[in-house]
Amino acid sequence: MLPSTAPLTTLVTLLATDVPAGLMPAREQMAVSLGWHIILACFGVAFPTMIFVVHRRGIVKDDPVALGLAQRWAKVSAVLFAIGAVSGTVLSFEMGLLWPGLMGRFGDVLGLPFAFEGMSFFVEAIFLGIYLYGWGRMPPRQHLLTLLPMAAAGVFGTFCVISVNAWMNNPTGFRIVDGRVTDVHPWRAMFNDGVWLQFAHMWVGAFMLVGFVVSGVYAAGLLRGRRDEHHRLGFAVPFTFATVAALAQPLIGHVLGLRVATTQPAKLAAFELAQHTDSPSPLRLGGLLIDGHVRGSIDIPLLGSIIARNSFTTPVQGMDTIPVANRPPVNITHIAFQSMVGIGTLLALAVLVFWLARWRGRDLTQQRWFLRFCVVAGPLAIIALEMGWIATEVGRQPWTVYGVLRTVDAAGDNGGLWWTFSAVLLVYAGMTAGAYVVLRSMARRWRAGEEDLPSPYGPEAALPEGAGR
Amino acid sequence: MSLAVAVAAAMFVAVLAYALFGGADFGSGYFDLTAGGSARGAELRTLIDHSIGPVWEANHVWLIFVLVTWWTAFPVSFAATMSTLFVPLVLALLGIVLRGASFAFRKYAATLGQAQLFGVVFAASSLITPFFLGTVAGAIASGRVPASGSGDLWSSWLNPTSVFGGVIAVGTCAFLAGVFLVSDADRNGHAALATQLRLRTLVVGVATGLVVFAALVPLEHDAPTLSAGLTGKAAPLIVLSGLTGAATLWLLVVRRFSVARLTALVAVASVVCGWGVGQYPWLLVDQVTIVDAAGATSTLVALLVAVGLAAVVVLPALAYLYWLTQSERWTEHPDEHPTAQTTRH
Ligand code: HDD
Ligand code: HEM
Ligand code: HEM
């Protein structure tokens, strides 16, 4: 019988064999802190562009509603970017704190894109400062233009950081001779074969996430009957971005998946829950691998080969061809992957329905069911993005650098990591709560007609006569 | 100069910039913490908001730059340091996270109560980070980070050099912040505030200066290599620091606040440079030199390209930001507190 690949068993075997004390907590901590950062990072990537669109409209068309939106989104981004930046800093430390075996050995191979990323963070942070504090202090057009370097830096930064992840999936730019890393070509490592597609997928994913989340906020307002120009525009702009992204994403994802067949067959086998090599392969919807058998899946014949291999006959290589020691946790990978694809398909269909209806002269924003869907589309996009990462990262196991460095060897020996992991959970829960409270209260005060949101400890607020506000 | 030393120099410039500008941002936490109750401290807290609000994120990136350069150019020593100095680094990181998040939250908090909560977290965590980063510097400078890593988790940073390093870091941050805030307050017409801040900055400055020179004594036994460097080839820098530090105090006394900013920067910069020169050519003192710690040559070359590009792209933008924040237009607070200046003269 095949050994079970259920996560719990994997965990037990991991604990039983000789693994460094730092492995399990490091994984959990990496997953939580990256999973958290990535959501904020998406705002850093996509929000400046959306703000630019409304801000420009406000100036060029002299539209106070659009300008008001830009001003509010800028204030929201002040909060989001601050916690995005600190959570990114956590990651920079974690690369060394959690993965000494990776950074010590491969730091000079994978490090270059991070150096460029540092540059783009500078640009982003500098122009963020100028933009946020520039309201009313700069000539309007010049002020508007400061958004452009921010938007560009967000995209460039994404490329850089994704380049590292793509290198972990497609390691190149070095040789290993007698266990030593030599012949390092950092540029080749940076521009590895996987980077363009992975970057495109992430970039577009960021626009989906932000587009659906922000339009969802205004959809909620429309649902409550706030059908003013402010809500209409606040919905339309991000929704349009999300539309383009949602239509492109399945295509990019599909091409990305085609690569996986050749670069990481074990990952594809896990994605497709392919236990054996069937020619042609079916498409397995749902299902779990229990005791070496696939249970509860709906199999559609042939479709697996068509989608994953672009062919009527070429099979998906089965997991039974992969040595046991090189198999990823199948169920997590499979479920994560299918959730992403399922949500991606659903969102693409939804935007299609909206624009088709509009073309036929029907405005779906008048329909409560559609607005309700728009409200949940934001969280769905977030889930899709997280699931995509879980599929990529868990599907690459047991490797950190595919075929080169095992995760066991990347981790350190520090058992104290459980403490820092607990602290990370606490602090991130606190930050989430803080951001929620503050953003909610900003929205509430805006609805109540306050525009400027002066700090509550400012002189006028703290003075006795101001205290009653 | 070898490639490795050139990259190390670039990295050190980033350390220096972080110490000066990031340091001033952190130091303002000290003044925020001790500003007094919400009514009395309101004016100062608002001033701090305006001073560091536009720049703290940019100033923070210097640290990121140090980290990425370090792990790219000197990967083994990076892993060694991270594994040995795990505890102070995690605590410094905690301070960074809490500081940044609560500073942003406080600005948009809805109620005074929330603002007070976020404010206390902001101010307290602003002290944590420089202290622990100071202990990290002390640990490296006193030769307590073994080249292969896994040094002692506790004694590596709980020792005289580290603790002095931490205290000096907190003191210099507060001093820098004080000088900058006095100057801002004075320029914005908060005369009473400037007077009050001036006194407190003088106290902080004198205390920090005393600690710096007192530290030279225990350092002789605890960190002989660094100590020899500081009293040898780095001695001119230490003297320069003493002179400019004293000049800053004098300038504060005679209320030449904007010049005092310059001398304060020079005073702190020369202490930091003194440390760098003092420990050269070691990357991890007594353990591994810069040249021996370097990674692949091709990567060093690529890094220098990145550094050159960054210098061309980032420095002008950064200069523009600083120039804007110091310009007249920005000192008036058009959309935020239109009454702030007129009500408080
Ligand atoms: C909004 C988010 C989102 C949506 C709707 C989709 N994806 Fe995705 N996907 C991601 C967000 C994402 C991601 C989180 O951004 C990943 C993780 C790593 C990466 O580069 O992108 C990813 C990874 C990823 C991979 C793994 C690549 C690898 O490990 O080398 C494949 C094969 C796909 N995706 C395929 C798809 C398909 C066929 C989709 C069809 C609808 C789809 N994705 C929708
Ligand atoms: C190991 C992985 C990662 C590391 C080490 C990392 C590091 C960082 C750091 C240090 C910052 C703060 C910069 C500042 O101080 O302003 C940051 C912010 C940012 N990161 Fe990441 N990051 C990682 C993953 C990602 C990913 C996957 C993305 C892709 C979308 C991303 C995109 C961004 C963006 C756009 C910002 C700036 C916007 C903001 O501050 O919210 N990062 N990251
Ligand atoms: C540029 C982006 C990223 C880089 C460089 C990166 C790097 C890493 C590294 C070094 C590890 C530990 C080694 C390993 O387990 O293979 C890891 C694990 C992991 N990462 Fe990522 N990661 C990135 C993005 C993400 C994102 C955005 C998520 C979001 C959910 C994520 C989820 C995970 C998970 C779940 C693990 C644990 C996998 C396991 O050990 O089972 N990663 N990643």
Side-chain angles (χ1 to χ4, degrees):
Chain A
M1 203 185 79
L2 286 163
S4 162
T5 26
L8 192 63
T9 333
T10 323
L11 195 145
V12 172
T13 19
L14 275 176
L15 290 178
T17 51
D18 192 19
V19 299
L23 177 66
M24 285 318 289
R27 285 187 152 169
E28 310 294 320
Q29 186 173 330
M30 191 77 193
V32 168
S33 46
L34 255 166
W36 203 88
H37 174 70
I38 193 90
I39 300 174
L40 281 311
C42 286
F43 279 87
V45 176
F47 216 19
T49 314
M50 294 185 197
I51 300 177
F52 181 82
V53 170
V54 285
H55 193 162
R56 188 179 164 277
R57 185 187 163 107
I59 290 181
V60 172
K61 299 199 174 166
D62 210 0
D63 176 350
V65 174
L67 208 56
L69 269 176
Q71 206 152 8
R72 290 185 185 185
W73 288 359
K75 288 193 163 128
V76 170
S77 69
V79 175
L80 294 180
F81 289 10
I83 54 181
V86 296
S87 63
T89 311
V90 173
L91 291 174
S92 301
F93 277 81
E94 281 179 347
M95 294 304 279
L97 294 173
L98 306 182
W99 310 109
L102 171 68
M103 300 314 286
R105 275 191 84 196
F106 294 98
D108 53 351
V109 186
L110 61 75
L112 183 63
F114 278 122
F116 282 107
E117 200 203 12
M119 180 174 104
S120 75
F121 289 153
F122 257 125
V123 172
E124 180 142 2
I126 290 168
F127 286 95
L128 176 71
I130 297 178
Y131 182 69
L132 289 183
Y133 286 80
W135 287 98
R137 297 186 173 105
M138 287 171 86
R141 271 164 207 273
Q142 197 180 329
H143 181 222
L144 170 70
L145 289 181
T146 60
L147 281 165
L148 293 180
M150 258 165 88
V155 177
F156 182 68
T158 309
F159 176 86
C160 293
V161 78
I162 292 300
S163 144
V164 178
N165 191 266
W167 175 84
M168 289 162 48
N169 282 328
N170 310 269
T172 45
F174 66 98
R175 279 190 314 136
I176 295 193
V177 180
D178 300 332
R180 281 175 49 93
V181 180
T182 62
D183 214 4
V184 176
H185 293 281
W187 299 101
R188 215 175 290 161
M190 181 165 169
F191 295 98
N192 58 72
D193 295 342
V195 65
W196 293 105
L197 274 177
Q198 241 195 288
F199 158 68
H201 201 52
M202 176 67 233
W203 180 36
V204 170
F207 273 88
M208 274 182 81
L209 188 150
V210 179
F212 281 120
V213 168
V214 177
S215 61
V217 169
Y218 291 91
L222 290 169
L223 264 179
R224 299 216 175 90
R226 303 190 193 105
R227 298 202 149 269
D228 46 16
E229 182 59 18
H230 174 80
H231 281 80
R232 212 194 50 72
L233 192 66
F235 175 81
V237 171
F239 190 79
T240 309
F241 276 103
T243 298
V244 178
L247 293 177
Q249 190 71 324
L251 298 177
I252 304 173
H254 172 64
V255 187
L256 191 61
L258 291 179
R259 271 185 55 85
V260 177
T262 44
T263 55
Q264 296 181 43
K267 187 186 263 182
L268 186 66
F271 281 176
E272 303 291 325
L273 208 57
Q275 203 50 16
H276 313 287
T277 311
D278 301 318
S279 180
S281 306
L283 180 67
R284 289 230 148 97
L285 294 179
L288 282 179
L289 187 68
I290 298 168
D291 288 334
H293 296 285
V294 176
R295 307 223 189 259
S297 71
I298 304 168
D299 290 5
I300 306 173
L302 193 67
L303 208 54
S305 277
I306 297 177
I307 293 182
R309 307 299 320 263
N310 246 8
S311 149
F312 290 108
T313 48
T314 319
V316 171
Q317 192 179 333
M319 193 62 96
D320 54 4
T321 62
I322 312 282
V324 176
N326 289 353
R327 293 183 191 166
V330 173
N331 285 331
I332 300 181
T333 314
H334 173 68
I335 293 169
F337 180 72
Q338 291 216 323
S339 316
M340 164 182 68
V341 177
I343 293 172
T345 314
L346 178 69
L347 293 177
L349 286 177
V351 294
L352 216 57
V353 166
F354 174 85
W355 292 101
L356 280 179
R358 213 180 124 108
W359 177 58
R360 302 276 309 273
R362 285 192 51 196
D363 181 7
L364 287 188
T365 61
Q366 304 293 339
Q367 305 289 331
R368 297 188 68 78
W369 62 267
F370 183 78
L371 289 175
R372 282 206 193 96
F373 177 82
C374 289
V375 173
V376 287
L380 281 179
I382 295 180
I383 295 173
L385 195 93
E386 298 285 358
M387 290 299 145
W389 278 107
I390 291 173
T392 315
E393 301 285 313
V394 178
R396 194 185 57 238
Q397 300 307 311
W399 304 101
T400 287
V401 182
Y402 184 72
V404 175
L405 178 75
R406 284 179 187 270
T407 310
V408 222
D409 303 319
D413 230 344
N414 189 346
L417 281 183
W418 285 113
W419 289 104
T420 61
F421 177 50
S422 317
V424 161
L425 288 181
L426 263 175
V427 171
Y428 278 49
M431 268 205 293
T432 312
Y436 179 79
V437 167
V438 170
L439 290 173
R440 278 293 297 261
S441 80
M442 286 163 77
R444 201 179 52 237
R445 281 176 284 163
W446 278 328
R447 277 203 299 279
E450 268 183 75
E451 216 33 70
D452 281 346
L453 313 186
S455 51
Y457 51 89
E460 51 309 14
L463 286 175
E465 65 270 24
R469 288 194 313 157
Chain B
M1 192 158 60
S2 72
L3 277 176
V5 175
V7 173
M11 191 169 128
F12 190 74
V13 168
V15 171
L16 182 64
Y18 186 58
L20 294 178
F21 300 108
D25 295 345
F26 279 112
S28 53
Y30 165 76
F31 290 95
D32 200 285
L33 196 63
T34 51
S38 35
R40 197 156 63 86
E43 193 182 8
L44 176 53
R45 296 203 169 96
T46 307
L47 180 72
I48 290 174
D49 236 28
H50 280 294
S51 301
I52 75 173
V55 293
W56 74 271
E57 283 194 71
N59 290 340
H60 167 78
V61 183
W62 289 111
L63 174 67
I64 311 298
F65 196 77
V66 172
L67 290 174
V68 300
T69 318
W70 191 356
W71 80 48
T72 310
F74 311 103
V76 179
S77 70
F78 175 75
T81 309
M82 285 288 173
S83 63
T84 302
L85 298 175
F86 186 85
V87 180
L89 284 168
V90 164
L91 292 171
L93 182 58
L94 181 73
I96 289 172
V97 171
L98 292 179
R99 191 277 299 241
S102 44
F103 180 69
F105 292 162
R106 176 173 83 167
K107 181 155 172 51
Y108 293 111
T111 64
L112 189 59
Q114 280 177 18
Q116 279 168 332
L117 174 68
F118 292 132
V120 166
V121 178
F122 155 68
S125 54
S126 295
L127 297 182
I128 295 178
T129 303
F131 178 79
F132 287 106
L133 289 180
T135 65
V136 166
I140 293 174
S142 60
R144 288 185 164 93
V145 181
S148 56
S150 310
D152 192 279
L153 274 184
W154 301 98
S155 72
S156 56
W157 61 282
L158 287 172
N159 57 66
T161 311
S162 288
V163 173
F164 267 112
V167 173
I168 290 172
V170 174
T172 44
C173 289
F175 179 57
L176 273 178
V179 176
F180 275 85
L181 288 172
V182 174
S183 163
D184 278 1
D186 183 55
R187 198 163 35 118
N188 294 1
H190 304 262
L193 187 60
T195 304
Q196 173 214 349
L197 277 171
R198 167 172 159 266
L199 190 65
R200 291 169 57 198
T201 307
L202 280 170
V203 173
V204 171
V206 170
T208 309
L210 290 179
V211 176
V212 169
F213 286 96
L216 292 175
V217 178
L219 237 59
E220 208 177 323
H221 299 288
D222 198 55
T225 308
L226 175 71
S227 177
L230 286 181
T231 49
K233 55 188 180 227
L237 285 166
I238 302 302
V239 173
L240 176 64
S241 169
L243 291 178
T244 43
T248 312
L249 297 179
W250 181 74
L251 287 165
L252 285 178
V253 170
V254 300
R255 296 177 171 276
R256 300 283 305 277
F257 300 132
S258 61
V259 194
R261 288 183 303 186
L262 279 183
T263 52
L265 283 174
V266 175
V268 176
S270 42
V271 172
V272 179
C273 289
W275 160 45
V277 170
Q279 82 160 52
Y280 181 83
W282 298 106
L283 185 68
L284 302 177
V285 170
D286 296 339
Q287 305 287 338
V288 59
T289 62
I290 293 170
V291 172
D292 290 341
T297 309
S298 51
T299 304
L300 297 179
V301 174
L303 260 181
L304 286 178
V305 172
V307 167
L309 205 63
V312 174
V313 173
V314 171
L315 293 185
L318 206 55
Y320 180 53
L321 172 67
Y322 290 150
W323 175 78
L324 274 179
T325 53
Q326 300 297 318
S327 67
E328 280 302 310
R329 272 185 99 112
W330 278 51
T331 348
E332 310 151 10
H333 317 304
D335 64 340
E336 318 214 32
H337 303 289
T339 53
Q341 282 127 49
T342 45
T343 52
R344 278 290 178 121
H345 271 289

